Amino acid sequence: MANGKNPKSSDRPIRVLLAKPAIDGHDRGVYVLARAFRDAGMEVIYPGLLPTPEEIIRIAIDEDVDVIAISLLNGSHVTIFKKVMELLKKNRVQGIAVVGGGIIPDADKPRLEKMGVSGNYGPGTPMSEIIAHIRKRAGEARSKRW
Amino acid sequence: MVTQSNSRAKALAEGLRRGDRASIARCISMAEDRPEEFSELISGIYDPKKMPRVIGVTGPPGCGKSTLISQIAPLLSASGHRLGIIAIDASSPFTGGSFLGNRIRMEGTISSGDIFMRSIATRGTKGGLTASIMGALITLSCAGFDLVIVESVGAGQADVDILDISSTVLLVLAPGLGDEIQAMKAGTMEIADIFVVNKADLPGADQSKRAIMAYLSTMQGRTPKKLASTSCTTKGGIKELVGLIKEHEDQVDTGPFIERAFKTEVNRIAKEILSKRVDELSGNESGNLSSMLKSGIDPYSAAVKLLGRAKRL
């Protein structure tokens, strides 16, 4: 803004879409994350179980989120995270960061990183580490969006 | 900077007219986060004749508002409306964070993509709505939406702001919330056009209906209030409720509701601008209050004097 009175983008709560984008009904952990993100001052959108990658993209666009945090415990992370990233590209979505987590073998992490899914945290990761990472990625995403 | 935000505003307005979802979403964010930037956009997209009808859905937390909306939305959308949904959830007064969970109930029926749905957190606004609600409605109107369901945050007796923006107000209640004495109380019970006893498959639904009917029989308003009973488990009463909403929308005189919404929004924005201005003028940096203190002026006269200066925006 010309007069410099505009609130800084950092004043705005980070918006996170938390999702399990495949056949995976283990939602206990996602609730723990949702609560922790909320308590860290974020606006957390949780659309319930079993959204498809297509639905995740639509929701992320409609809700104008900074970060999509996807978690899978069922072993399909490489296939499904890849699909999410492809759809983001196909829909020419810019400025939304993707962060992953779940039961992810170390061997898979470089592949996920390469496709743009960072973090990829497993059980036992301190919540503060995940939150710090989301804040960092959200900041990067926002600077691309605005 | 001016040209940059101007060209962005122009691109967003064009996106809105095309019905581009990302543009709609970005504009609503702007109304939430960057009201001053939004104010540059709004003059280009506001058209009072295009403002959507608003079905305001309010009621206490847990009475089934989101689930009920998930049931009526597809029917309203199928009857030829371009339908938007704005669902409001509470922000934490301690951290500012929010858990926006309305989609959990709605995803199943809105996933076709015809309906635009957005979750908004209250961010400190009281009264059941958000400061950005009119901005969001104006945005949707520009993108061609003619009907919007606004779900208030889980409301208490005195959260009646939904009345300011709605052409039809639904008050959703559930069995077991109270007897006819509760129904007599002022506040939300007075603003509803349609009372909905939801979860009507649960015991106690008949008592709740009777209590509301008794209350309605004592009312002397000009527009008769209606009562529906619904169950999202058995799907009972949903079609009838949609019928009642359409009937009310056909009968309602939209003049007063457009006027109310406009006046409330102008009042809100004016207060916001004035409040910021007063903060600037009374801040330590300005030195205004320090010099007033030295002059020996009383606090009341000082405040009036400060407001005099605030006029020069």
Side-chain angles (χ1 to χ4, degrees):
Chain A
M1 276 294 284
N3 54 14
K5 277 192 286 183
N6 213 34
K8 294 190 292 285
S9 57
S10 57
D11 294 345
R12 167 198 177 202
I14 292 168
R15 283 171 74 86
V16 186
L17 170 61
L18 194 54
K20 300 179 74 65
I23 310 292
D24 181 357
H26 307 90
D27 58 0
R28 187 73 225 158
V30 151
Y31 285 141
V32 174
L33 286 170
R35 176 68 195 276
F37 293 171
R38 190 201 81 178
D39 289 346
M42 300 178 193
E43 291 182 354
V44 185
I45 292 123
Y46 179 61
L49 284 172
L50 314 178
T52 63
E54 285 81 1
E55 283 167 348
I56 290 194
I57 302 303
R58 172 177 51 77
I59 296 168
I61 293 173
D62 286 8
E63 297 285 0
D64 196 28
V65 296
D66 305 299
V67 177
I68 302 174
I70 40 182
S71 152
L72 283 177
L73 310 180
N74 68 358
S76 65
H77 47 273
V78 174
T79 323
I80 301 291
F81 290 5
K82 190 169 163 217
K83 177 91 178 153
V84 169
M85 297 311 286
E86 282 169 0
L87 284 168
L88 276 176
K89 230 177 245 163
K90 195 178 146 209
N91 287 279
R92 282 191 234 124
V93 178
Q94 278 183 329
I96 298 183
V98 181
V99 170
I103 307 291
I104 296 172
D106 285 343
D108 290 342
K109 287 180 185 171
R111 280 175 80 186
L112 297 176
E113 284 276 347
K114 207 174 159 204
M115 56 176 92
V117 184
S118 67
N120 302 309
Y121 297 111
T125 313
M127 208 56 92
S128 55
E129 193 181 329
I130 302 175
I131 288 167
H133 183 70
I134 288 190
R135 286 209 174 110
K136 179 174 145 262
R137 295 293 320 271
E140 293 162 7
R142 259 184 211 180
S143 61
K144 276 187 210 155
R145 253 195 358 271
W146 287 96
Chain B
M1 284 302 280
V2 172
T3 46
Q4 194 196 334
S5 62
N6 275 354
S7 66
R8 182 154 64 207
K10 214 171 152 192
L12 278 175
E14 275 164 22
L16 284 186
R17 293 201 179 88
R18 283 200 313 272
D20 169 50
R21 296 180 92 102
S23 302
I24 301 171
R26 197 60 50 83
C27 283
I28 296 177
S29 296
M30 211 192 247
E32 283 194 281
D33 302 335
R34 299 156 185 254
E36 295 189 22
E37 213 167 311
F38 187 73
S39 69
E40 289 173 24
L41 176 77
I42 197 172
S43 60
I45 64 170
Y46 177 65
D47 180 351
K49 288 184 222 81
K50 278 196 187 158
M51 285 304 282
R53 299 289 191 104
V54 175
I55 315 291
V57 180
T58 190
C63 64
K65 294 184 290 299
S66 301
T67 310
L68 189 65
I69 291 171
S70 79
Q71 299 299 311
I72 62 175
L75 298 181
L76 288 168
S77 172
S79 63
H81 289 289
R82 191 111 196 273
L83 182 69
I85 302 175
I86 295 173
I88 304 174
D89 256 324
S91 297
S92 161
F94 304 108
T95 66
S98 178
F99 181 66
L100 299 159
N102 295 301
R103 272 191 191 272
I104 300 174
R105 325 286 180 196
M106 294 184 196
E107 261 312 307
T109 62
I110 63 168
S111 58
S112 72
D114 298 333
I115 300 170
F116 182 91
M117 191 246 164
R118 177 66 175 249
S119 323
I120 300 186
T122 54
R123 299 194 183 175
T125 305
K126 295 189 172 66
L129 297 178
T130 68
S132 54
I133 189 72
M134 277 298 282
L137 291 174
I138 291 168
T139 299
L140 288 171
S141 77
C142 182
F145 289 83
D146 66 326
L147 186 69
V148 179
I149 299 176
V150 175
E151 177 185 354
S152 82
V153 69
Q157 280 177 318
D159 293 326
V160 294
D161 287 3
I162 192 100
L163 178 66
D164 292 331
I165 58 157
S166 304
S167 45
T168 301
V169 176
L170 257 60
L171 175 63
V172 185
L173 300 164
L177 289 177
D179 57 8
E180 64 269 32
I181 299 302
Q182 289 302 325
M184 293 290 288
K185 292 190 176 171
T188 46
M189 288 297 287
E190 294 174 278
I191 63 167
D193 298 303
I194 302 172
F195 292 81
V196 185
V197 176
N198 194 28
K199 308 189 186 183
D201 52 307
L202 295 184
D206 287 338
Q207 283 99 306
S208 296
K209 269 195 282 182
R210 271 202 299 278
I212 295 166
M213 268 150 75
Y215 168 69
L216 293 182
S217 67
T218 65
M219 288 185 88
Q220 296 176 332
R222 271 174 303 173
T223 37
K225 312 274 182 177
K226 299 186 172 95
L227 173 64
S229 98
T230 52
S231 163
C232 298
T233 312
T234 67
K235 316 285 181 216
I238 302 292
K239 270 188 204 145
E240 290 77 3
L241 173 60
V242 171
L244 288 181
I245 293 171
K246 285 185 183 160
E247 203 180 301
H248 185 265
E249 281 295 322
D250 287 343
Q251 291 166 356
V252 73
D253 174 9
T254 54
F257 119 80
I258 290 169
E259 189 183 322
R260 250 190 340 257
F262 180 77
K263 286 180 176 169
T264 311
E265 183 67 352
V266 173
N267 182 286
R268 185 192 68 77
I269 295 172
K271 276 183 190 157
E272 197 177 285
I273 295 172
L274 192 63
S275 156
K276 260 191 206 160
R277 185 78 182 120
V278 168
D279 283 346
E280 276 167 28
L281 286 170
S282 61
N284 281 334
E285 285 162 35
S286 75
N288 283 326
L289 296 198
S290 305
S291 56
M292 283 176 176
L293 175 68
K294 277 182 204 136
S295 75
I297 190 172
D298 71 273
Y300 184 87
S301 309
V304 172
K305 203 168 163 186
L306 200 70
L307 282 177
R309 287 186 196 165
K311 269 192 261 172
R312 292 188 296 275
L313 294 168

